[in-house]
Amino acid sequence: MAGSDRGDLTRTAILALLGTVGPLSRTEIARELDLSPASVTQLTRELMGHGMLEELDLKPSRGGRPAQRLGLVGTAGRALGVKVTADHLVIVDVRLDGVVLGSWEHLFDPSGPHALDDLASTVEATLARIEQAPALLGVGVGVPGSVDDQAVGTVNAPTLGWQAMPVGERLRRRLSLPVLVENDVNALAAAERLYGRGRTHRDFLVLTIGRGVGAAIVTDGRVYRGARGGAGEFGHVPVDPSGPVCGCGTAGCLEAFVGSAGLVTAAREKGLLEGHAALGDPGARDAVDELGRAAAAGDRAAQDVFDQAGRILGRSTAGLINVVDPEVVVILGEGVAHWPYWQVGFDRAVRAQLMPGRRDIAIEVESWDETSWAQGAAALVLATPFDAAGAAGEQGRLVRARLIGATP
């Protein structure tokens, strides 16, 4: 390997270390990466010169001189994150340290004949209105489907009506920027790795509940994508072959019971939500919110709908935990707004089905808003400088080049 390439990878490894574990002294960096103190001093000086690292507080010492800690400069770069849904786009402008600088929502029809051009035009219009500093590193796109490779970005997403859609290629050509495309739940896992529980855990699960049900599996600090980029389709775990038909065309999937459509169906069977818009109509998301309001008002039938969904989700989650053996499980998504009514059924079911040695696993439910999906998409780009393994390929190299101000 050429000396400059080796140096680039070592600088990336330093960024990766500080980006995932937080500020460290030069001595700690040398020990963690098995580098000589002289090399760390030289490399960190270069990174500080590029405005990527800064000296922070002194770390108390048990003897001798206190050590100066180094940390990332949050204003060194930014990324645009785009969440694609079946009827709208959410776009956020996010700084390297996770601070959201702006957010926007736009109507979007993924089934239209010019859907990708419309997507690119919307992103272009957003780019034209944002500040030019700090430097824009690239665009991350989160989609509800499988993606062949982040750096290629060919998407198969039945809920969008997309089959082999060249999202990454089209956006790169229109925007002349690095573009990374990923399954939206995997993108959330990237954000957790960078800013959330993943800073202290290298093996964890991210589960999402809402319109659909998804999972991201993080092992040894990396998202497991599977052979074709489709790992994590937790919503299509079979629950009951005689159950309702899922959107994938198979009967009895987990999503058919506990996704938004399943909740609405179960509610109507109990005489609730009569006359409400059918799922898939513009008011569909409001149906679950109405069910949540009924549960909050003490409607026992509405509470039972969530309790039953919680029990089904809990059993399936226990099976996934038993197979994967994570350190912690993080639950996210629009559905957590009504988590108090899921929780009792979920907790009982998941603990009952876990293997004895895993019944004390931490399961955490995080707060949620509409921009969270898009923030996950932005994290695809923002995590790239910390990716010493180079999972983002050529697009990752271009992101790193933009971060240090180099010519690609």
Side-chain angles (χ1 to χ4, degrees), residues 62-80:
R62 296 180 179 177
R65 298 173 57 188
Q68 186 83 55
R69 298 198 304 172
L70 300 178
L72 297 176
V73 176
T75 57
R78 72 205 303 180
L80 215 63

Side-chain angles (χ1 to χ4, degrees), residues 18-387:
L18 296 177
T20 53
V21 306
L24 296 172
S25 70
R26 291 173 176 83
T27 300
E28 290 170 323
I29 293 171
R31 182 171 61 248
E32 290 290 331
L33 298 179
D34 195 22
L35 297 172
S36 71
S39 294
V40 170
T41 298
Q42 175 188 343
L43 292 167
T44 55
R45 184 185 299 121
E46 293 173 4
L47 291 169
M48 291 174 66
H50 285 300
M52 298 165 66
L53 297 183
E54 60 184 343
E55 290 187 331
L56 302 175
D57 56 310
L58 295 174
K59 183 176 181 180
S61 173
R62 296 180 179 177
R65 298 173 57 188
Q68 186 83 55
R69 298 198 304 172
L70 300 178
L72 297 176
V73 176
T75 57
R78 72 205 303 180
L80 215 63
V82 183
K83 161 62 175 172
V84 181
T85 81
D87 57 16
H88 69 287
L89 304 173
V90 180
I91 303 178
V92 294
D93 181 13
V94 184
R95 215 167 63 177
L96 185 63
D97 57 2
V99 173
V100 177
L101 301 173
S103 64
W104 303 268
E105 186 170 331
H106 304 272
L107 294 176
F108 178 65
D109 179 10
S111 64
H114 306 294
L116 292 187
D117 287 331
D118 293 342
L119 173 60
S121 295
T122 302
V123 175
E124 283 178 328
T126 303
L127 291 172
R129 67 193 296 183
I130 66 175
E131 298 290 337
Q132 297 305 304
L136 183 68
L137 305 180
V139 177
V141 182
V143 296
S146 62
V147 181
D148 61 340
D149 182 279
Q150 283 187 15
V152 177
T154 301
V155 176
N156 291 307
T159 59
L160 303 178
W162 287 1
Q163 179 69 31
M165 287 289 271
V167 178
E169 176 189 351
R170 188 72 60 86
L171 289 181
R172 282 190 288 273
R173 187 164 64 241
R174 284 283 299 271
L175 305 176
S176 298
L177 286 168
V179 176
L180 292 169
V181 186
E182 181 59 284
N183 168 268
D184 48 14
V185 185
N186 286 348
L188 285 178
E192 282 292 318
R193 183 75 180 101
L194 198 55
Y195 306 115
R197 297 292 300 188
R199 290 178 71 99
T200 54
H201 297 282
R202 295 185 61 80
D203 296 271
F204 61 95
L205 287 175
V206 173
L207 304 184
T208 60
I209 55 173
R211 183 183 182 94
V213 179
I217 303 166
V218 180
T219 61
D220 196 25
R222 301 180 64 182
V223 176
Y224 176 70
R225 304 186 75 255
R228 291 173 290 277
E233 290 289 355
F234 185 47
H236 302 292
V237 168
V239 172
D240 182 353
S242 63
V245 176
C246 179
C248 71
T250 303
C253 293
L254 174 63
E255 188 171 298
F257 286 98
V258 306
S260 295
L263 294 178
V264 172
T265 298
R268 286 179 173 157
E269 290 175 352
K270 293 179 177 292
L272 303 171
L273 304 179
E274 292 182 358
H276 205 283
L279 203 74
D281 290 345
R285 286 186 294 176
D286 296 338
V288 176
D289 289 337
E290 182 178 321
L291 186 66
R293 287 190 292 271
D299 188 315
R300 186 56 183 268
Q303 293 173 353
D304 285 345
V305 170
F306 287 112
D307 184 74
Q308 173 69 10
R311 282 184 278 136
I312 295 171
L313 179 65
R315 288 195 295 271
S316 297
T317 300
L320 186 57
I321 293 171
N322 286 337
V323 170
V324 177
D325 190 23
E327 298 172 80
V328 64
V329 178
V330 180
I331 301 179
L332 299 165
E334 297 89 346
V336 303
H338 311 296
W339 186 253
Y341 311 109
W342 294 71
Q343 188 169 11
V344 173
F346 176 87
D347 285 348
R348 287 176 179 169
V350 73
R351 302 297 174 184
Q353 297 295 321
L354 285 173
M355 296 174 63
R358 296 174 186 166
R359 287 177 184 161
D360 61 348
I361 187 172
I363 299 177
E364 302 184 3
V365 180
E366 295 191 353
S367 59
W368 184 264
D369 63 43
E370 181 68 9
T371 64
S372 297
W373 288 113
Q375 286 175 265
L380 296 172
V381 175
L382 298 175
T384 296
F386 317 137
D387 173 25

